[in-house]
Amino acid sequence: MKRSEWFSLLEKCLEFHDQWQSNWPAFVTDPSVQVRSEQITTALDALFERLRESYPFFHPNYVGQMLKPPHPVAVLAYFTTMLINPNNHALDGGPATSYLEREAVAQIAQMLGYTDHLGHLTSGGTVANFEALWITRQIHPDRWVVFSEHAHYTIRRACEILNLPFAVVSVDPQGRMDLDHLEVLLRRHPIGTVVVTVGTTGLGAVDPLEEILYLQPRYGFRIHADAAYGGFFKLLAERVPPEVHPVPFQSLPMCDSIVVDPHKHGLQPYGCGCIVYRDPGVAQYYHHESPYTYYTARELHLGEVSFECSRPGAAAAALWTTLRCLPLHPYAGLGNILSRTRTAALAAYRFLEESEWLAPVVEPALDIIAFFPRRAQSASAVTALTDWLFDQAMHHMRPPIYLSKLKLPTSWLQRRFPNLVADTPETTVLRSVLMKPEHADTVRSILQRLEDRMRSHEAAE
Ligand SMILES: *Cc1c(COP(=O)(O)O)cnc(C)c1O
């Protein structure tokens, strides 16, 4: 957004604020909190100096981790609301923003296909998943949790904290939960919950939710979907023709709980995850008696159905306002943005398939692409060339390209690439999250530059 546009919109936000504050009598700000402008300027200058070290998450040349700046709409809404600083732990803390939270969460629940729901925002996917497993433990106190090898590392951590017995399911050559292994575990242990990852953080793989649902009547487990990164791709499953494999997404409404992170693909600043349950009756498991939090309303407070206490009302306001401008629609707003990021991933895949120098690890299911130096013949050589290219791209290319790395078990990689010599147990490959719509037009030239670097490296040897 242009500076002039920022100025006029920020001015509007400040005007609202002045006008709102003028409803109450003026008072003198205590000198203890006053800081001179020059001092603020000096402190800010020191901050800017430190911030210069940041990687350019906003730029298409940043094709690394799952990072991008929030949308300006979210920033403006967050800023305006933060000046009030509501706390959505209770209606008294966030009388206006609690309703914004409910409305925004309802839109997410509707996007996922729930006809009824209970849900709220969280500080992120970790807490949202933790909360779902905490509820699971209350429903099935002595039963096990299973999740795939490629599930987010915090799922295992949550099980450990909750003291829930768990088992890890292996993955198939696409990086999805292996159904045969899942069935072995279902026969062996009393399993209360299967955690299905809809978009793994490493490869972007989607577990076969529909087939897992077939097993449900026989074994009677709950299903929790960790769609922290992948959830918003539900919009692309609804396009005609669908732009992601639609089947697992169509099964989402059958899951007992779903986690989606608006601070990943929902254009929000960090501090915005979301948990939704299919059955509003799970509210009973949150019951607590706090002596001080709830005074006014008879309705159920968000704080009564949330694990966390304090939560930023500003996060709810930012999400709510963003969704007004960029709705959860297959052919508008978020749907259009995701369609571009998906286009980028498929363009990258086609490029890599034909490349003599770089090869894709798997066909991307969403918008993450993993790839590696094609000519390396052993796991150790792949890792060494990956490290080299990662370093070259970031430190020696002008302008730099920012990538990320992913460690994969060599035995798994060998199932896809049988000629790979397994001289190390793990292999490091490159990984790019193509989560900016601008990647649709730029990813090919970015990969071309990486390929050129590989070519000149070999020529020099
Ligand atoms: C990012 C992510 C998480 C963790 O969420 P945070 O918001 O980082 O706490 C969990 N699961 C998946 C699949 C993720 O992509």
Side-chain angles (χ1 to χ4, degrees):
M1 199 156 81
K2 286 210 187 76
R3 232 153 69 122
S4 57
E5 206 178 344
W6 270 113
F7 279 139
S8 70
L9 290 168
L10 271 172
E11 186 147 40
K12 191 176 162 59
C13 296
L14 291 170
E15 255 165 40
F16 156 76
H17 212 262
D18 284 349
Q19 193 238 321
W20 179 73
Q21 286 202 338
S22 71
N23 290 325
W24 291 275
F27 64 95
V28 182
T29 303
D30 194 82
S32 64
V33 289
Q34 267 162 7
V35 181
R36 279 179 298 112
S37 279
E38 308 85 82
Q39 229 182 324
I40 300 180
T41 309
T42 310
L44 284 174
D45 282 336
L47 170 69
F48 302 155
E49 207 38 51
R50 303 294 285 267
L51 287 179
R52 256 181 256 288
E53 314 274 309
S54 305
Y55 298 144
F57 305 132
F58 73 97
H59 198 277
N61 279 5
Y62 184 87
V63 282
Q65 310 278 6
M66 218 173 266
L67 291 158
K68 65 176 175 181
H71 196 278
V73 177
V75 175
L76 290 163
Y78 201 106
F79 171 76
T80 309
T81 313
M82 187 175 51
L83 293 174
I84 302 168
N85 207 23
N87 184 336
N88 278 11
H89 76 108
L91 277 171
D92 286 311
T97 48
S98 291
Y99 293 102
L100 299 181
E101 174 164 347
R102 265 197 216 163
E103 289 173 38
V105 170
Q107 288 175 63
I108 288 177
Q110 193 191 2
M111 169 187 81
L112 296 168
Y114 277 174
T115 47
D116 200 358
H117 75 281
L118 178 82
H120 59 87
L121 300 179
T122 63
S123 59
T126 305
V127 169
N129 281 318
F130 177 83
E131 220 174 294
L133 292 171
W134 175 52
I135 296 299
T136 274
R137 195 186 64 173
Q138 297 182 61
I139 296 173
H140 293 312
D142 303 313
R143 289 169 70 180
W144 291 46
V145 174
V146 291
F147 46 87
S148 96
E149 259 182 283
H150 285 193
H152 199 266
Y153 70 95
T154 55
I155 299 280
R156 178 196 204 104
R157 188 178 281 178
C159 290
E160 287 168 358
I161 295 169
L162 290 164
N163 214 4
L164 274 163
F166 62 87
V168 179
V169 191
S170 57
V171 292
D172 72 8
Q174 262 70 47
R176 302 171 302 200
M177 184 178 277
D178 186 291
L179 290 164
D180 293 334
H181 190 214
L182 173 63
E183 254 207 287
V184 169
L185 293 172
L186 284 167
R187 281 195 223 105
R188 192 180 298 161
H189 306 292
I191 287 168
T193 302
V194 177
V195 177
V196 171
T197 308
V198 179
T200 58
T201 321
L203 293 173
V206 179
D207 284 344
L209 177 53
E210 200 196 35
E211 288 84 346
I212 294 168
L213 275 163
Y214 286 139
L215 299 170
Q216 201 178 26
R218 198 174 327 149
Y219 298 98
F221 49 81
R222 288 170 64 80
I223 300 181
H224 169 64
D226 179 6
Y229 146 69
F232 288 103
F233 285 92
K234 175 81 162 58
L235 297 171
L236 297 191
E238 260 140 51
R239 284 193 162 204
V240 186
E243 293 179 14
V244 292
H245 181 48
V247 176
F249 288 94
Q250 284 157 356
S251 306
L252 274 177
M254 269 78 88
C255 296
D256 296 286
S257 48
I258 309 174
V259 162
V260 181
D261 262 357
H263 68 203
K264 278 178 179 154
H265 251 307
L267 310 169
Q268 299 307 298
Y270 284 114
C272 194
C274 179
I275 169 78
V276 280
Y277 299 93
R278 183 174 55 162
D279 172 16
V282 300
Q284 62 179 294
Y285 299 106
Y286 283 96
H287 185 71
H288 68 93
E289 276 163 40
S290 154
Y292 49 80
T293 27
Y294 315 118
Y295 308 117
T296 46
R298 265 173 226 96
E299 324 169 48
L300 202 60
H301 285 269
L302 286 165
E304 286 172 305
V305 287
S306 167
F307 170 78
E308 292 172 279
C309 179
S310 295
R311 293 176 310 112
L319 179 59
W320 185 90
T321 315
T322 305
L323 295 180
R324 303 255 322 195
C325 299
L326 295 155
L328 300 174
H329 190 282
Y331 292 99
L334 252 297
N336 285 347
I337 294 171
L338 286 171
S339 176
R340 296 289 284 162
T341 69
R342 176 76 180 132
T343 299
L346 291 175
Y349 180 64
R350 280 191 298 272
F351 181 97
L352 293 164
E353 264 196 319
E354 282 160 25
S355 169
E356 279 177 51
W357 300 89
L358 296 165
V361 174
V362 286
E363 183 175 346
L366 304 174
D367 63 8
I368 296 176
I369 182 99
F371 55 103
F372 63 99
R374 193 187 278 276
R375 298 197 169 188
Q377 291 178 359
S378 64
S380 62
V382 170
T383 299
L385 263 180
T386 291
D387 289 341
W388 175 82
L389 188 57
F390 176 88
D391 178 68
Q392 286 286 310
M394 186 153 79
H395 299 298
H396 302 286
M397 287 173 66
R398 287 289 162 264
I401 295 170
Y402 297 84
L403 299 161
S404 73
K405 295 192 265 191
L406 175 67
K407 274 187 191 159
L408 294 165
T410 304
S411 55
W412 177 80
L413 212 49
Q414 257 189 330
R415 287 168 71 185
R416 300 194 61 81
F417 306 97
N419 294 333
L420 185 74
V421 179
D423 57 351
T424 50
E426 280 190 328
T427 308
T428 309
V429 300
L430 294 157
R431 162 179 171 269
S432 287
V433 185
L434 301 169
M435 71 183 319
K436 290 181 288 267
E438 293 80 9
H439 285 142
D441 293 330
T442 53
V443 72
R444 293 184 71 88
S445 65
I446 289 168
L447 290 171
Q448 185 66 58
R449 288 182 59 214
L450 294 174
E451 199 187 80
D452 291 346
R453 180 60 55 136
M454 300 278 316
R455 186 180 292 115
S456 53
H457 176 60
E458 182 157 303
E461 290 220 322

